Amino acid sequence: MATVQVSEAEKVYILHGIRDDLRVDGRSCEDYRHMEIETDVVSNTDGSAKVTLGHTVVLVGIKAEIGKPRPMVPDEGYLEFFVDCSANATPEFEGRGGEELGTELSNTLYKVFNNKRSLDMKSLCISPGEHCWLLYVDVLLLQCDGNLYDAISIAVKAALFNTKIPRVHISADDEGGKEIELSDDPYDCVRINVENVPCIVTLCKVGHRHVVDATLQEKACSVASLIISVTHKGTVTCVRKVGGGSLDPESIFEMTEAGKRVGKALHAPLMKLLQQEESLGKKRQKVGFLG
Amino acid sequence: MAGLELLSDQGYRLDGRKATELRKVQARMGVFSQADGSAYIEQGNTKALAVVYGPHEVRGSRSRTLHDRAVINCQYSMATFSTAERKRRPHGDRKSAEMSLHLKQTFEAAVMTQLYPRSQIDIYVKILQSDGGNYSVCVNAATLAVIDAGIPMRDYVCACTVGFVDETPLADLCYAEEGGGGSSLALALLPRGGQIALLQMDAMTACKGVSKVLDEVVRQHLQDVSVLTRE
C-alpha cells in the first residue's frame, strides 16, 4: 500500500473539505470513484472478474473442485478464500510481507460470504455427506489505492455471478456405489444465484463526518473505519470496526445508516451491468489489461 | 511419445501453427499508475504482468548495497488460479525461486546497473494465466516494464522457448507441447549484439541439434523484437 505521507497542512485541507461535503477529487462524502468491472478475464478459471476502483485494481478467480462436505453440514458445499497481496501492488508485500493483510482480508471474506444467507450453499451439494462443490475464491491485489474491502467484495460478487459449474450426473453402479459423471458439454452448466450476496461498504471517519470509498490520503487522516456488508434489500449482514482508533456509538449508528443507504444503491447498477455484459455473450470484446 | 502428435505430416502443430510460427503477441505498457514501470503481455494464452519499482534506496539490510552498481531484485510468482490445477501458494516454492533467480541474472546482464550505484531496482512478475513458455513471457513482460520505467538497458531482452520434435525445431511452445516429452530450450537474447543472456535446456537434445535450435530461436527472436517495438 504505497505509503502516503500527508503533511499537517494537507490534513487540515482534507478535513475542512470533508466538513463541507467536498473532497479533494471533487466527490461528495457518499460518492464512489470511477469503477470498471469486467468478468470472464481469465479463461483457466470457472469464473473471474477484474475490478478497478480509482487506482485500486483487484482480480478474482474462482475455481470449482469436487470435495467432501463438512461433517456438521453434510448437505452443503462451501467456499475457500485466499487473498494474495502480490508484490506488484507495492514492494512491501514482497516475500511474506503481504501475508498479514492477506489473512485479515480473507478472514473478513469468510465472515461475509461463507454462510447460507448470502449464498445458497445447498445448491453446491452433489450428494449429501459424500460430495460437494467447493469454490476456491482467489483474490489477487494488483494495485492498492485505498478501499480494498469494497473493491474485493464487488469483484467477488461479479466473479460468483460469472461462475459456471459443470452439471453432474449421479448414477448408481452395480455394487450400489455412486458414480459421478461430469457433463461433457461446456455449455451445460449451473450458475450461482448471487441475489443475496452482500457488498461491503467501508466508511472512514474523518473529523466529525464519515466518507465512502476513501483514498489513501483520506485514510491517513481518518481515525478508524467501519466495514458494513449490505445486501440488495438493505439488510446489514456484518459490521466490523477496522484500524486503530476508536469510534463512539452514536457515529457507529450514523455510519451504519449511511452504509445501508450507499450499499443498497450499489447493488442495482452492479447487477444491471453484470446482466448486460452477460447478455452480450460471445460478441463481447474482451479488454482485460489491454484496454 | 504416445497419443499426442505434436507435428502433423503436413507440418502443422496442435494449435494450427507452423513449426516456426509464434503465438499471437499482444502487449501494453503503463498498465498501472503507482509503479514506476509496468507492462502486460499476452502470448497466446499465457498472460503476464510485470511491474518495476526503482531505482530507489536499498530496502532492508544495508549489507546488500553494491557500491559500484544497482542491485536487481526480482520476484516471480504465479496467481493461484493461473494453472489448470489450482496452486496452493503464489510464490515461495522451488520453481518460482529458480525463476526469480533466472530473471535476476537475465536483467543484470541487460540493465545498465553501473549508472545507479548504491540503489535497488525491483522487478516483480506475475503470471495470470499459464499456457507454456512462462519464463520467456515473463522476460518479455519485464523488458517492457523496464522500458516503461525509463531505466537504460544495453539492449531489449527478448526470450522464447523452442522444442524439438523429430529433428524439427518448434518455436514458442504451448503447455501441451511443453509437457509432450520432447526437449525444450529457453533462451533470452540481446538481439542487437546477438548476445545470449540466458540459455537453459531441459531434457536431452542430440548435440548436432542444438546449433540448429539456437539458430532458429535467434531468427524467430529478431521477428519478435519487431513485434514488441511496434507496440
Side-chain angles (χ1 to χ4, degrees):
Chain A
M1 205 161 322
T3 38
V4 282
Q5 308 278 344
V6 185
S7 69
E8 279 306 312
E10 274 178 293
K11 267 189 190 170
V12 170
Y13 181 70
I14 291 171
L15 274 166
H16 285 187
I18 287 171
R19 196 183 57 195
D20 299 337
D21 200 17
L22 183 65
R23 290 153 76 178
V24 179
D25 43 12
R27 290 182 287 157
S28 74
C29 284
E30 288 183 11
D31 283 346
Y32 271 94
R33 286 171 287 179
H34 178 71
M35 197 189 304
E36 280 172 33
I37 302 170
E38 191 180 357
T39 54
D40 205 13
V41 277
V42 185
S43 54
N44 271 349
T45 57
D46 295 299
S48 60
K50 176 187 165 234
V51 168
T52 313
L53 179 63
H55 289 306
T56 301
V57 184
V58 176
L59 185 66
V60 172
I62 298 182
K63 273 181 180 290
E65 276 180 28
I66 293 180
K68 218 172 149 48
R70 301 208 156 122
M72 299 291 281
V73 274
D75 58 345
E76 289 180 10
Y78 59 100
L79 277 73
E80 287 280 356
F81 288 95
F82 176 76
V83 181
D84 177 13
C85 299
S86 78
N88 285 44
T90 155
E92 286 151 42
F93 291 157
E94 201 191 330
R96 306 179 74 102
E99 268 179 26
E100 204 178 317
L101 180 67
T103 321
E104 191 191 332
L105 288 168
S106 59
N107 283 342
T108 309
L109 293 179
Y110 273 111
K111 296 236 163 66
V112 173
F113 293 106
N114 202 12
N115 57 61
K116 53 179 175 259
R117 276 168 200 86
S118 323
L119 268 177
D120 181 18
M121 296 297 187
K122 288 209 164 74
S123 69
L124 297 175
C125 178
I126 299 169
S127 68
E130 286 168 36
H131 302 285
C132 69
W133 284 109
L134 73 101
L135 301 180
Y136 284 105
V137 183
D138 292 314
V139 181
L140 184 58
L141 281 183
L142 292 170
Q143 192 163 246
C144 300
D145 185 26
N147 210 10
L148 295 176
Y149 285 101
D150 298 21
I152 291 175
S153 74
I154 291 166
V156 168
K157 182 161 179 168
L160 283 170
F161 178 84
N162 181 239
T163 302
K164 299 174 186 77
I165 302 173
R167 207 177 283 278
V168 285
H169 301 284
I170 304 168
S171 51
D173 64 0
D174 306 337
E175 285 124 43
K178 281 178 186 162
E179 220 168 273
I180 292 183
E181 217 177 310
L182 283 184
S183 174
D184 292 332
D185 180 7
Y187 293 102
D188 186 18
C189 49
V190 189
R191 304 299 286 263
I192 300 169
N193 181 11
V194 293
E195 205 193 348
N196 292 323
V197 174
C199 278
I200 301 176
V201 178
T202 312
L203 289 139
C204 268
K205 174 112 180 159
V206 183
H208 293 292
R209 291 190 72 149
H210 43 261
V211 293
V212 167
D213 190 21
T215 60
L216 283 179
Q217 277 84 5
E218 286 166 338
K219 196 149 183 241
C221 308
S222 97
V223 205
S225 23
L226 197 67
I227 62 166
I228 301 161
S229 75
V230 190
T231 64
H232 70 113
K233 287 184 198 134
T235 319
V236 176
T237 56
C238 175
V239 180
R240 278 183 82 179
K241 200 221 92 187
V242 287
S246 53
L247 295 169
D248 59 305
E250 222 161 279
S251 62
I252 287 185
F253 181 72
E254 271 172 36
M255 284 158 97
T256 317
E257 284 300 312
K260 252 164 80 174
R261 202 165 47 235
V262 174
K264 209 174 158 185
L266 186 65
H267 279 279
L270 174 65
M271 285 314 286
K272 198 178 147 206
L273 192 129
L274 290 174
Q275 260 142 13
Q276 205 177 354
E277 204 177 48
E278 176 76 19
S279 66
L280 286 174
K282 281 196 154 175
K283 279 181 287 179
R284 179 168 69 95
Q285 191 137 40
K286 286 187 188 169
V287 185
F289 291 93
L290 287 170
Chain B
M1 198 208 53
L4 234 51
E5 193 188 42
L6 294 180
L7 194 66
S8 73
D9 297 335
Q10 288 78 33
Y12 288 103
R13 291 154 69 176
L14 293 171
D15 46 9
R17 285 183 286 160
K18 285 274 179 68
T20 56
E21 209 176 316
L22 293 176
R23 289 177 287 182
K24 187 181 178 191
V25 181
Q26 283 181 293
R28 189 179 156 219
M29 287 158 78
V31 192
F32 298 127
S33 52
Q34 282 179 350
D36 294 301
S38 59
Y40 170 74
I41 195 168
E42 283 181 10
Q43 256 176 269
N45 279 326
T46 304
K47 298 173 184 175
L49 265 175
V51 170
V52 171
Y53 289 91
H56 53 72
E57 222 174 296
V58 175
R59 200 177 299 110
S61 73
R62 295 250 153 242
S63 58
R64 289 202 301 150
T65 314
L66 300 174
H67 65 90
D68 58 341
R69 60 196 155 94
V71 179
I72 303 261
N73 174 39
C74 291
Q75 182 177 290
Y76 166 91
S77 60
M78 288 174 89
T80 40
F81 50 76
S82 62
T83 46
E85 195 156 315
R86 184 179 176 269
K87 278 175 75 77
R88 303 198 73 208
R89 49 193 211 174
H91 55 83
D93 55 332
R94 248 177 229 222
K95 198 176 151 234
S96 48
E98 188 197 356
M99 288 286 221
S100 305
L101 187 68
H102 285 161
L103 272 177
K104 183 182 154 90
Q105 287 166 348
T106 308
F107 281 91
E108 269 172 353
V111 174
M112 301 182 79
T113 47
Q114 73 277 11
L115 295 177
Y116 305 104
R118 295 170 209 281
S119 44
Q120 178 179 345
I121 297 168
D122 295 318
I123 302 174
Y124 301 122
V125 195
K126 188 114 206 162
I127 293 276
L128 298 181
Q129 195 174 321
S130 148
D131 183 35
N134 287 355
Y135 174 74
S136 47
V137 176
C138 278
V139 170
N140 295 336
T143 305
L144 290 174
V146 174
I147 296 169
D148 188 41
I151 297 170
M153 284 198 284
R154 289 187 182 84
D155 203 347
Y156 298 165
V157 208
C158 296
C160 192
T161 46
V162 159
F164 209 59
V165 172
D166 312 327
E167 305 279 302
T168 321
L170 306 179
D172 199 13
L173 302 180
C174 70
Y175 181 76
E177 290 167 334
E178 244 177 19
S183 53
S184 77
L185 177 92
L187 186 82
L189 197 70
L190 303 170
R192 242 183 321 166
Q195 299 275 326
I196 290 171
L198 180 119
L199 172 70
Q200 194 195 9
M201 192 171 77
D202 301 323
M204 306 285 268
T205 311
C207 267
K208 59 175 183 194
V210 177
S211 67
K212 198 177 170 194
V213 175
L214 273 179
D215 182 55
E216 202 64 43
V217 187
V218 174
R219 283 205 295 121
Q220 275 309 312
H221 255 294
L222 293 174
Q223 270 184 27
D224 193 15
V225 170
S226 59
V227 174
L228 290 176
T229 44
R230 219 180 298 141
E231 181 61 46

